[in-house]
């Protein structure tokens, strides 16, 4: 039965027990963890988590590679599930609706970015995990049985999208979709490069093809060529360490989406751009890049960054994905496989996104 709730301070102080897997320190090792979640507020929904994707950002955070991790840390920001409870003022969702929750669960709602539907660039945006809720509690992510979120920061998942392969769209999907649109790289008259064929990269190829864009994968792994061309539909494949191949492709791309998670050289990538071309950095490695002024001056090129997307654009991306059949290639795993999955992800050994089957495998890990 539908349960309407108010957000009186008395109710907000109550909590509901939640269960997930957390890392306790920068070893990143995950293990079972019981913790409190707040009561569902008037404008919030409680989401029963069904699947959660494993983003490389989860791995960066688990290992404290960005020097900001708060432990215990429950990762997970590629969350899909269904509404199990809703507050009295919720208008967007009904009980049982299929919903997605991505990287942010709040923002100031008043600044220029928030007013422009770019909550992702709000200086006060609150991360789904490793972020601090306005009541001072630490947020825990989707490697858990349920999550409570303001309806503004949840999106609807159309029935035509299979849930498990939709989960990675909530972070990887929007992170590649948004810059392709913003930087004018989506369309049949464009040729783009996608550097790094991992979670973000492979969805990037699929969105590019759905936009009608010509896309070349630039990869450090020659063994991914067949898959890139035949399974994902890329138009070309370059091995980034093959100087002859890289030289032959110089000056051919309107834009590049760089998703590499590790330190790497960007000068050869800038060389691939045509005049006015844009290299967009998505990979969140904290080491500084090599860059020379002349590499940009000659040809008026630019290097930019991009981070996820706003809530309106995230819904637009999900609807576009449903309409065009864009989905992730997944390896669906059980909760107790997560540490092995992290080891494999660190080595680039995943095709192309691990997704945890939370609904069917989490509860049995509770002793
Ligand atoms: P992933 O699945 O691990 O893919 C990263 C890919 O980078 C690998 O598959 C590999 O592709 C390539 N790579 C890895 N190490 C490399 C190296 N040393 N040299 C050259 N290439 C290397 O990771 P992901 O989940 O797609 O995330 C990628 C990065 O984006 C992470 O840093 C993550 O934190 C960040 N991220 C950013 C945003 C954003 O909004 N900006 C959002 C989500 C994630 P090849 O084998 O094809 O070379
Ligand atoms: Zn992510």
């Amino acid at each position: 039965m539908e349960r309407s709730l108010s957000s009186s301070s008395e109710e907000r102080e109550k909590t509901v027990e939640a269960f997930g897997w957390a890392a306790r320190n920068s070893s990143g090792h995950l293990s079972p963890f019981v913790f409190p979640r707040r009561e569902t507020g008037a404008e919030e929904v409680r989401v029963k988590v069904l699947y959660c994707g494993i983003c490389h950002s989860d791995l960066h955070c688990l290992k404290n590679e960005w020097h900001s991790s708060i432990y215990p840390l429950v990762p997970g920001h590629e969350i899909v599930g269904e509404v199990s409870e809703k507050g009295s003022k919720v208008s967007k969702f009904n009980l049982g609706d299929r919903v997605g929750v991505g990287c942010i669960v709040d923002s100031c709602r008043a600044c220029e970015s928030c007013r422009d539907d770019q909550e992702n660039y709000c200086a006060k945006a609150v991360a789904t995990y490793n972020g601090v809720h306005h009541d001072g509690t630490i947020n825990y992510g989707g490697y858990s049985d349920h999550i409570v979120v303001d309806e503004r920061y949840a999106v609807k998942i159309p029935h035509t999208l299979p849930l498990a392969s939709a989960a990675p769209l909530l972070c990887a999907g929007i992170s590649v979709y948004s810059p392709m649109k913003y930087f004018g790289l989506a369309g049949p008259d464009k040729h783009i490069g996608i550097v790094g064929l991992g979670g973000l990269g492979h969805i990037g190829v699929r969105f590019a093809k759905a936009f009608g864009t010509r896309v070349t994968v630039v990869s450090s792994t020659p063994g991914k060529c067949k898959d890139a061309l035949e399974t994902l539909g890329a138009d070309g494949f370059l091995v980034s360490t093959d100087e002859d191949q890289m030289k032959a492709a110089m000056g051919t791309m309107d834009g590049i989406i760089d998703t590499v998670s590790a330190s790497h050289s960007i000068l050869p990538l800038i060389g691939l751009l045509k005049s006015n071309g844009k290299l967009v950095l998505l990979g969140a490695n904290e080491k500084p890049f090599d860059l020379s002024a002349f590499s940009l001056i000659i040809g008026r090129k630019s290097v930019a960054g991009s981070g996820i997307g706003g809530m309106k654009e995230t819904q637009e991306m999900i609807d576009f994905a449903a309409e065009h059949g864009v989905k992730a290639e997944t390896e669906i795993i059980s909760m107790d496989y997560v540490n092995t999955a992290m080891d494999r992800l660190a080595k680039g050994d995943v095709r192309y996104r691990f997704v945890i089957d939370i609904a069917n495998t989490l509860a049995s890990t509770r002793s």
Side-chain angles (χ1 to χ4, degrees), residues 55-58 77-78 103 171-172 353:
C55 176
H56 203 113
S57 302
D58 298 350
H77 58 207
E78 292 186 340
C103 299
C171 173
R353 199 55 141 190

Side-chain angles (χ1 to χ4, degrees), residues 246 249-252 256 266-274 295 301:
M246 292 292 280
M250 276 174 78
T252 61
I256 293 175
I266 57 170
L267 280 175
L269 302 177
I270 293 169
L272 296 174
L273 293 170
K274 296 179 187 171
S295 69
K301 298 173 183 177

